[in-house]
Amino acid sequence: MPSYPTPILTTNRLTLRPLTLDDAADLFAVFSDPAVVRYWSAEPWTSVADAETTIGHALDCYRDQSEVRFGIELAETGVLIGTVGLHHVFPQNRRCEIGYALASQHWGKGYACEALGAALDYGFHELRLNRVEADIDPRNAASGAVLERMGFRKEGYMPERWFVHGEMADTINYGLLKSYWDARPSR
Ligand SMILES: CC(C)(COP(=O)(O)OP(=O)(O)OC[C@H]1O[C@@H](n2cnc3c(N)ncnc32)[C@H](O)[C@@H]1OP(=O)(O)O)[C@@H](O)C(=O)NCCC(=O)NCCS
């Protein structure tokens, strides 16, 4: 990734900014909710230490420019409501994966699309990525709707790829190319 500091991105209602250790309690509130990790191969967090470990990793990644996880803050109140991250970045191949989650009381208000729009613009135009990938549980309708709204296309299906809360779970592979992003209808 190019060597400049992780930026602050703004949208109509959101601020995407680097995480700090002061976010630990808010982040814990997001990821200790079983609804948020319903389709993840990880259990809900049980301690603020889980948040501190995740933030520590994010800080290391900001320093070595290896990946970026933005905190998503409501512009009006400054409350941290989730994260969106570009990870598994392969600079040589100009590709990465995207991951995102919001506190469940903020679902259904269009925040995910707003946050992903800013993160993808940053990825394609500042980090000069060519391709962003996502891998979701087929039962995660909200996540699929977000990706399709962003212009991701279904590229594959992998049965029983993850072990999710006691059962094997399938994956739908999605991909978004810079060419699709740049050609999307103006919103
Ligand atoms: C996935 C997630 C980020 C969506 O956030 P959100 O802010 O509610 O999404 P938005 O309000 O921007 O809605 C985006 C689209 O999803 C649709 N949607 C929202 N919830 C839905 C649901 N439960 N079922 C079907 N579609 C849904 C919306 O109608 C909208 O579609 P549209 O643009 O065609 O109208 C949120 O549900 C979440 O944090 N889930 C837990 C973490 C997770 O699963 N992350 C993704 C896996 S990596």
Side-chain angles (χ1 to χ4, degrees):
M1 286 163 73
S3 57
Y4 47 79
T6 304
I8 294 175
L9 310 178
T10 56
T11 69
N12 285 344
R13 298 177 296 168
L14 304 173
T15 305
L16 276 60
R17 57 157 180 83
L19 293 165
T20 76
L21 281 170
D22 291 340
D23 295 319
D26 289 340
L27 211 58
F28 175 67
V30 176
F31 290 97
S32 57
D33 178 351
V36 169
V37 298
R38 167 67 188 90
Y39 298 113
W40 288 7
S41 62
E43 296 306 315
W45 291 353
T46 54
S47 149
V48 175
D50 295 327
E52 289 165 352
T53 302
T54 294
I55 294 168
H57 176 71
L59 297 178
D60 289 344
C61 292
Y62 300 148
R63 267 191 295 275
D64 66 20
Q65 306 278 318
S66 55
E67 58 184 51
V68 54
R69 186 169 187 171
F70 292 102
I72 304 172
E73 196 177 271
L74 290 180
E76 204 171 284
T77 60
V79 171
L80 186 94
I81 62 164
T83 64
V84 55
L86 302 174
H87 60 96
H88 288 121
V89 181
F90 289 85
Q92 159 66 27
N93 304 304
R94 296 172 58 199
R95 104 174 114 80
C96 75
E97 294 174 32
I98 193 164
Y100 41 88
L102 295 179
S104 54
Q105 70 266 35
H106 295 290
W107 293 356
K109 298 174 184 166
Y111 290 140
C113 287
E114 209 168 304
L116 263 72
L120 289 166
D121 240 359
Y122 171 70
F124 287 127
H125 294 129
E126 301 300 326
L127 301 181
R128 303 179 63 76
L129 295 168
N130 180 60
R131 175 180 167 82
V132 178
E133 298 173 354
D135 155 348
I136 71 161
D137 189 310
R139 298 168 296 178
N140 194 349
S143 188
V146 170
L147 293 174
E148 287 177 24
R149 170 58 69 104
M150 292 294 105
F152 280 78
R153 298 188 191 174
K154 282 183 191 163
E155 295 178 334
Y157 194 94
M158 296 179 170
E160 301 190 10
R161 184 158 192 251
W162 300 100
F163 190 65
V164 174
H165 309 303
E167 58 180 338
M168 298 311 303
D170 298 352
T171 275
I172 300 180
N173 305 98
Y174 278 93
L176 177 66
L177 301 184
K178 179 175 184 291
S179 57
Y180 309 162
W181 183 249
D182 287 342
R184 77 197 186 287
S186 57
R187 295 130 301 139

